[in-house]
């Protein structure tokens, strides 16, 4: 049971959130609980969707974005996001089980992606206070400054959803994966 209301349908969400949820439904074919919960604040939903949409057009490929999401969800102990991104990682980004396990442990079997995941982990663990070595390692792996900024933005976006789901106990509507089982 959530700690705040979870609109049962698009029609029961705040009026200003309804067109945003209709867009989510059109894009995904359903409206996952995260979106319904966030719809309590039309401004927060619009902000989340806006940043998510902008980053989807960025330089990082979908596989790297999912790898980052998995690492951040694991570190933040968010079972909802870990469940969602395990599902998306397998079914959309086509990551295998070994890669998903590596991502959850803060690494990747792909050399370049490993640098992105490690940089994301450093950001979370150090609350943004990364070292020059952390930045240099990601640059040496081939990430541009624009991509480094996007990695930070993905960490922030995923931290937002982790915190929303953990703070309000969002019911998991994906096959359940537990952060404690890494």
């Amino acid at each position: 049971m959530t700690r705040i209301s979870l609109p049962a349908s698009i029609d029961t969400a705040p009026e200003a959130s309804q067109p945003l949820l209709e867009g989510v439904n059109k894009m995904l074919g359903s409206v996952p609980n995260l979106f319904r919960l966030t719809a309590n604040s039309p401004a927060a939903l619009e902000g989340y969707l806006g940043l998510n949409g902008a980053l989807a057009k960025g330089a990082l490929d979908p596989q790297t974005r999912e790898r980052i999401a998995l690492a951040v969800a694991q570190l933040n102990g968010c079972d909802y996001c870990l469940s969602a991104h395990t599902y998306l990682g397998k079914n959309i980004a086509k990551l295998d089980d070994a890669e998903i396990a590596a991502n959850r442990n803060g690494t990747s079997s792909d050399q370049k992606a490993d640098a992105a995941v490690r940089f994301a982990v450093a950001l979370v663990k150090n609350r943004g206070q990364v070292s020059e070595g952390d930045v240099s390692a990601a640059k040496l792996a081939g990430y541009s400054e624009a991509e480094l900024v996007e990695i930070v933005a993905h960490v922030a976006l995923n931290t937002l959803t982790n915190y929303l789901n953990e703070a309000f106990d969002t019911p998991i509507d994906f096959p359940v994966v537990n952060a404690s089982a890494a």
Side-chain angles (χ1 to χ4, degrees):
M1 182 63 97
T2 62
R3 295 178 180 148
I4 64 174
S5 66
L6 184 68
S9 67
I10 292 172
D11 295 338
T12 61
E15 188 174 336
S17 290
Q18 292 176 13
L20 300 169
L21 292 175
E22 288 169 2
V24 169
N25 191 37
K26 184 177 179 182
M27 182 175 59
L28 301 178
S30 67
V31 182
N33 288 339
L34 164 67
F35 297 95
R36 294 192 297 134
L37 180 112
T38 308
N40 281 293
S41 168
L45 181 60
E46 183 178 358
Y48 168 72
L49 291 172
L51 182 56
N52 190 50
L55 289 174
K57 298 174 193 171
L60 296 177
D61 61 65
Q63 293 79 14
T64 300
R65 296 193 308 257
E66 288 304 319
R67 288 173 171 120
I68 291 167
L70 287 160
V72 172
Q74 182 69 40
L75 283 169
N76 285 329
C78 182
D79 290 347
Y80 185 97
C81 290
L82 197 55
S83 299
H85 289 288
T86 297
Y87 178 84
L88 294 169
K90 284 181 181 181
N91 295 292
I92 304 300
K94 304 299 183 197
L95 301 175
D96 63 27
D97 290 339
E99 180 63 13
I100 289 170
N103 302 155
R104 290 180 62 188
N105 287 305
T107 64
S108 174
S109 62
D110 177 275
Q111 188 175 11
K112 184 174 180 182
D114 186 62
V117 172
R118 288 179 187 275
F119 185 61
V121 166
L123 285 161
V124 174
K125 285 185 174 179
N126 300 303
R127 297 182 302 180
Q129 303 286 326
V130 295
S131 69
E132 180 60 40
D134 294 324
V135 175
S136 293
K139 284 182 173 180
L140 285 172
Y143 287 101
S144 69
E145 291 179 355
E147 290 169 317
L148 292 176
V149 170
E150 287 182 28
I151 292 169
V152 173
H154 278 286
V155 168
L157 181 69
N158 283 285
T159 299
L160 169 64
T161 60
N162 293 172
Y163 285 12
L164 282 167
N165 290 314
E166 287 302 298
F168 302 123
D169 202 20
T170 308
I172 300 172
D173 47 355
F174 292 91
V176 176
V177 177
N178 292 306
S180 60

